[in-house]
Amino acid sequence: AAGVIQSPRHLIKEKRETATLKCYPIPRHDTVYWYQQGPGQDPQFLISFYEKMQSDKGSIPDRFSAQQFSDYHSELNMSSLELGDSALYFCASRGTKREGSTGELFFGEGSRLTVL
Amino acid sequence: AQKVTQAQTEISVVEKEDVTLDCVYETRDTTYYLFWYKQPPSGELVFLIRRNSFDEQNEISGRYSWNFQKSTSSFNFTITASQVVDSAVYFCALSNNQAGTALIFGKGTTLSVSS
């Protein structure tokens, strides 16, 4: 079965550079979530989109932005990167009850960003 | 506000021991979901179980079992006859029923199983 696809899996950037992470949800899932997991930390919710509209916002820095496109894939854009942005970034997708989903949240394998 | 507390930061057991990971949650929602995820050293988050707030039946899946008690707001996870491959960080998480709202994680419990 198709899972959540994230790209790239690994990314190395310098301070002050820009990075873009992509997420392709499970087909027919209409909700996408972004999480940031620092070393030894629990995943922290950044932002979510439902039907291409921002639906919830967590601890996302102003330097970050995200959007969900018409094909439901999502991109997380990170600018002016700082050392503290080094983390594992997870994307997750979920179908709504309207879609006949059981409500499970499925995570991608994560994109590991290293800022030097 | 929603909150998930996993009081056990680290647990170490020897193979074949049973181990219970505790999870206590707080929410004002009447409809909500509880989850457990496993994060092995490779880093991915592996879905283990989802339980909705109206289903208090305990569940068993192989060596895994879950005890959901609304009266104490707990959703504990037991691994029977633990194995070295069970070594991982285990996260308990909570979500309400509204589309698009976030899954809130506990801090995680690191389980180390030695042979």
Side-chain angles (χ1 to χ4, degrees):
Chain A
V4 177
I5 306 297
Q6 290 188 244
S7 68
R9 294 291 313 280
H10 299 273
L11 190 61
I12 299 175
K13 290 285 186 179
E14 301 275 345
K15 279 171 55 179
R16 292 180 287 279
E17 284 191 325
T18 297
T20 297
L21 306 180
K22 295 184 179 182
C23 170
Y24 296 86
I26 290 172
R28 293 184 297 283
H29 277 193
D30 49 20
T31 307
V32 167
Y33 303 77
W34 284 99
Y35 284 83
Q36 177 192 57
Q37 186 180 25
Q41 304 296 314
D42 55 299
Q44 293 293 313
F45 171 67
L46 294 178
I47 195 166
S48 63
F49 293 88
Y50 169 63
E51 285 292 347
K52 293 154 280 185
M53 299 287 289
Q54 181 182 310
S55 54
D56 201 359
K57 194 171 180 181
S59 51
I60 185 169
D62 292 340
R63 298 177 290 107
F64 291 11
S65 65
Q67 58 181 322
Q68 187 178 31
F69 294 86
S70 57
D71 63 351
Y72 292 99
H73 95 272
S74 178
E75 295 184 5
L76 177 66
N77 299 294
M78 300 175 283
S79 61
S80 302
L81 287 170
E82 302 173 356
L83 296 179
D85 296 329
S86 296
L88 191 56
Y89 290 83
F90 285 104
C91 172
S93 77
R94 186 181 196 181
T96 63
K97 281 191 171 181
R98 193 175 51 189
E99 296 286 331
S101 162
T102 57
E104 293 174 15
L105 198 70
F106 292 92
F107 283 84
E109 294 186 327
S111 293
R112 187 171 296 281
L113 171 65
T114 302
V115 181
L116 303 175
Chain B
Q2 296 183 321
K3 185 179 178 183
V4 176
T5 302
Q6 294 180 255
Q8 305 148 308
T9 306
E10 294 182 16
I11 300 177
S12 295
V13 298
V14 179
E15 259 191 321
K16 298 182 185 177
E17 285 186 22
D18 298 347
V19 58
T20 295
L21 309 181
D22 298 334
C23 173
V24 174
Y25 63 92
E26 296 175 30
T27 182
R28 292 179 182 171
D29 295 312
T30 54
T31 302
Y32 52 89
Y33 295 100
L34 293 162
F35 301 76
W36 276 95
Y37 285 87
K38 174 182 179 181
Q39 189 173 40
S42 50
E44 72 271 26
L45 282 167
V46 179
F47 170 81
L48 296 178
I49 191 172
R50 181 190 72 104
R51 172 68 68 216
N52 76 52
S53 52
F54 296 108
D55 182 3
E56 287 194 71
Q57 276 194 334
N58 292 329
E59 182 159 338
I60 298 174
S61 176
R63 295 184 298 106
Y64 295 169
S65 62
W66 291 269
N67 183 1
F68 176 32
Q69 292 196 342
K70 285 181 80 170
S71 60
T72 55
S73 296
S74 64
F75 187 44
N76 297 337
F77 172 32
T78 297
I79 301 175
T80 303
S82 59
Q83 299 176 2
V84 173
V85 293
D86 296 327
S87 297
V89 182
Y90 290 86
F91 290 101
C92 180
L94 168 69
S95 172
N96 67 24
N97 198 32
Q98 296 178 22
T101 55
L103 194 68
I104 305 301
F105 285 84
K107 296 296 182 184
T109 297
T110 299
L111 174 65
S112 299
V113 182
S114 56
S115 56

